[in-house]
Amino acid sequence: MRKVFVSALLILSVIAESFAGKPVFQLKYTADPSPVIFNDTIFIYTSHDEDDARGYDFKMLNWILYTTTDMVNFTEHGVVAELKEFAWRSRDNGAWAQQVVTRNGKYYMYCPLHGHGIGVLVSDSPYGPFKDPLGEPLVWQKEHWEDIDPTILIDTDGQAYMTWGNPNVYCVKLNKDMISTSGPIVKLDAPAHYQEGPWTYKRNGHYYMAFASTCCPEGLGYAMANSPMGPWEFKGYIMEPTQRDRGNHPGIVEYKGNAYVFGQSYDLLKEDYETAGTEFRHCERRSVAAAEMLYLGDGTIETVPYWLDTEIKPIKSFDPFQRVKATTMAWGYRMVSRQNEKDGIYVTGIDNGDYISLRQVDFGKKGAKTFTASLANIENADCSIEIRLDSKDGALVGTLSPDITGAEFTEYTCKVKGAKGVHDLYFVFRGQEDGQAFNPTKTTGLMQFKYWEFK
C-alpha cells in the first residue's frame, strides 16, 4: 500500500472539512494571477511554475486560464499561451507575470520576456489561442533587465497606459490598437515599499497601484494617485508582509458587488511536503490564493489577513445539470491536470481515497437521477467513483463502477438516489493501492477523468 504517515492522515482529515484560505487551484503550481471579467465570468490568467522547479530558480514556460462564476468553484482550461509564440525570443524559460485586457473586440495579453522586454499576444477569444501580431517586443529598454510585470489601465477617456518594472516603475501610453506605444517611456517615482508586480486600475475617480512590497517577505502594498501616471502615494498594505510567505503578486477585481484580491503563496508546496512526511525544502512552486477585500469610505483599503486566515463565501449555487469539466472544483488535492490536442484537458494522477469537491451544489427539489462521467485508462475492475454529499465520508448517493477501458474516453452512467437540495459535492475515487510513495505530480493512477454531468 502507499506509504502515508500518520501525521499526513491527520492533515488530510482537516483538509476534508475546510478549504478556507487555501490555494484556489491545486492541480498545477500557479503564480501571478491576472483576474478580469468577461461575459459575466471571472477569468484568471496565471503564470505556471513547473512541477520540477528546484530551489530559487524559476521554471516557467506557459500561461494558464481559470474561470469562476461563484468564487469558490474554479475551472481550469489549461494552457492558453506559450513562450514559443514569441519566435524572436532567445530564452526557453521566463513566462512571468502577464495581464489580459479586452478592446476592439479582441483580447490582449501583455507578457514579460526577461531580458528581452515586454511582448504582446492577441486573440479573438478570451480562451485563446493567443498569437504574436508584432514579431518583436512592444517595449524593450536594453540598458537593463527591469522590463517585467506589465499592467494595463484603460482610463475613462479611452487612453490606455502600460505600467511595469522591478525595482523601478515605468509607464507608457498605448495607442488604440493596443499593440503600439504613444510617446516616450516615463520613469515614475515609485511609491514607498514598492518592489515589483504593479496592478493599476481606476475606481470611483481614484487611481490605484497595488504591488508586491519590498522583498523579502513581500506583502501587498498599494498607492493612490489623481492621475494614471502619478505621483503615487503609499497608503498602506492590502496584506502585510509575513514570515508565513516569501513572495506575492496582486490581482484585483470587483464582481457581483464584492471586491477580491488574488495573490500567491507557497502553502500548497508546504502541504505537499507535510503530506509526504518529509522536511520542507524551498522550491519556486507557488500557488494562487484569493480573499475578499473591502474599500473604506475614503477609498482606502482595509488590510486583509493572510490567505489561510480568510474565507470566501459562495456568490451563488453551482448547477450540476450541465456538462462540467473534471477540472472544475473547490478542492482536488493530490491530483494533476494534463491536456492534449485530441482530448483537451482532464484530471489524472488519481489514487485510492483521493477526491474532488465542489461547494454549494444545487440539485433542486426533484434531485438528480443519474450521473455520467467521461473516463479513460481505467486501471482495473476495482476502480469506482463514490458520489457523496457534504464530506468525503458523507451520505453516499451513487457509485459509478466503470468497465476497464483503453486510452479512448468513454461515458459511463450510474443511478443516483438522495441527491436533493443544496450540498457540497464529493467525488471519492476508489481502487487498488499502487504501492508508491506520495507524489503530488504523479501522472498515472486509477483513471483519467474528463467531464461529468447529472440528469
Side-chain angles (χ1 to χ4, degrees):
M1 295 179 65
R2 169 182 280 179
K3 301 174 183 177
V4 181
F5 292 78
V6 173
S7 60
L9 292 174
L10 292 174
I11 291 168
L12 290 176
S13 176
V14 173
I15 291 172
E17 299 303 320
S18 174
F19 316 124
K22 293 183 179 292
V24 293
F25 317 133
Q26 307 92 41
L27 304 185
K28 286 186 174 75
Y29 296 113
T30 54
D32 308 319
S34 169
V36 60
I37 298 172
F38 300 138
N39 303 321
D40 205 35
T41 297
I42 302 181
F43 285 66
I44 308 105
Y45 299 86
T46 75
S47 56
H48 173 206
D49 290 333
E50 294 291 334
D51 297 340
D52 57 352
R54 303 291 181 186
Y56 291 90
D57 294 327
F58 296 100
K59 185 175 181 182
M60 306 168 72
L61 312 178
N62 48 46
W63 294 277
I64 312 295
L65 170 62
Y66 299 83
T67 60
T68 183
T69 57
D70 58 22
M71 277 301 296
V72 291
N73 301 302
F74 295 85
T75 300
E76 182 192 342
H77 300 274
V79 174
V80 293
E82 302 179 73
L83 279 176
K84 68 181 183 181
E85 299 299 339
F86 298 104
W88 43 268
R89 82 199 188 288
S90 63
R91 293 163 59 86
D92 292 327
N93 194 354
W96 289 9
Q98 51 60 54
Q99 186 174 356
V100 175
V101 298
T102 185
R103 194 172 196 178
N104 311 320
K106 295 184 179 296
Y107 300 85
Y108 301 86
M109 176 183 285
Y110 297 85
C111 308
L113 293 108
H114 199 204
H116 293 82
I118 295 171
V120 59
L121 301 175
V122 183
S123 175
D124 293 327
S125 166
Y127 297 95
F130 287 85
K131 300 297 180 182
D132 180 7
L134 298 178
E136 62 182 2
L138 175 61
V139 299
W140 186 7
Q141 301 178 94
K142 296 183 180 181
E143 65 270 23
H144 56 67
W145 284 43
E146 298 179 3
D147 295 335
I148 68 168
D149 299 350
T151 180
I152 307 298
L153 183 155
I154 302 177
D155 208 347
T156 47
D157 64 1
Q159 179 62 59
Y161 300 82
M162 183 170 72
T163 305
W164 72 94
N166 172 342
N168 293 304
V169 188
Y170 303 91
C171 186
V172 70
K173 292 181 179 180
L174 300 179
N175 290 318
K176 290 183 179 180
D177 64 8
M178 300 299 285
I179 58 173
S180 62
T181 62
S182 173
I185 295 173
V186 179
K187 183 178 178 180
L188 307 180
D189 292 330
H193 307 292
Y194 175 88
Q195 175 73 32
E196 61 184 358
W199 182 269
T200 56
Y201 62 102
K202 186 178 185 180
R203 180 183 185 273
N204 291 347
H206 299 294
Y207 294 90
Y208 292 82
M209 179 195 293
F211 51 84
S213 65
T214 306
C215 190
C216 279
E218 291 179 346
L220 296 179
Y222 78 101
M224 296 175 66
N226 293 320
S227 80
M229 300 185 76
W232 292 101
E233 180 183 357
F234 177 75
K235 290 295 186 180
Y237 284 101
I238 300 172
M239 183 174 290
E240 294 181 349
T242 170
Q243 293 300 326
R244 298 166 76 178
D245 202 3
R246 172 181 167 83
N248 223 322
H249 190 106
I252 295 171
V253 69
E254 287 192 59
Y255 184 67
K256 305 294 186 182
N258 300 312
Y260 300 96
V261 57
F262 288 79
Q264 63 198 32
S265 74
Y266 295 88
D267 291 329
L268 190 67
L269 178 65
K270 292 175 183 176
E271 203 153 88
D272 288 343
Y273 276 104
E274 290 174 353
T275 303
T278 57
E279 184 178 355
F280 176 78
R281 299 186 304 278
H282 181 85
C283 301
E284 290 299 345
R285 303 181 209 165
R286 299 157 294 176
S287 297
V288 167
E292 191 168 348
M293 191 179 82
L294 180 65
Y295 291 95
L296 301 178
D298 61 356
T300 57
I301 300 171
E302 187 173 275
T303 302
V304 176
Y306 183 66
W307 308 114
L308 293 177
D309 301 326
T310 67
E311 181 176 9
I312 294 177
K313 296 181 179 179
I315 294 174
K316 65 176 185 178
S317 294
F318 189 89
D319 177 13
F321 300 110
Q322 59 179 320
R323 178 173 291 188
V324 179
K325 284 184 170 67
T327 52
T328 301
M329 60 191 67
W331 188 259
Y333 185 53
R334 305 199 306 172
M335 291 163 279
V336 297
S337 58
R338 292 293 182 265
Q339 68 187 95
N340 58 53
E341 187 173 347
K342 176 185 176 183
D343 299 316
I345 192 165
Y346 56 88
V347 178
T348 186
I350 299 171
D351 293 315
N352 182 51
D354 290 350
Y355 61 88
I356 290 172
S357 71
L358 291 93
R359 292 184 62 185
Q360 197 167 306
V361 178
D362 188 357
F363 292 99
K365 294 181 179 180
K366 294 184 178 180
K369 303 300 181 184
T370 63
F371 170 75
T372 298
S374 177
L375 307 172
N377 287 312
I378 298 169
E379 187 175 67
N380 55 61
D382 294 328
C383 294
S384 65
I385 302 175
E386 296 176 350
I387 307 163
R388 295 184 177 270
L389 304 181
D390 300 320
S391 78
K392 69 181 181 65
D393 301 313
L396 180 65
V397 296
T399 301
L400 181 65
S401 300
D403 298 327
I404 299 176
T405 65
E408 296 293 328
F409 278 95
T410 303
E411 287 189 351
Y412 296 92
T413 299
C414 71
K415 293 182 179 180
V416 175
K417 185 177 181 180
K420 297 181 180 181
V422 178
H423 299 271
D424 290 346
L425 171 65
Y426 285 73
F427 300 128
V428 184
F429 301 95
R430 300 297 183 189
Q432 296 178 4
E433 298 283 3
D434 62 8
Q436 301 297 313
F438 171 78
N439 179 355
T441 59
K442 175 182 175 183
T443 56
T444 59
L446 300 179
M447 64 189 74
Q448 294 173 346
F449 187 16
K450 185 176 179 181
Y451 61 79
W452 58 266
E453 182 176 7
F454 286 91
K455 291 185 179 179

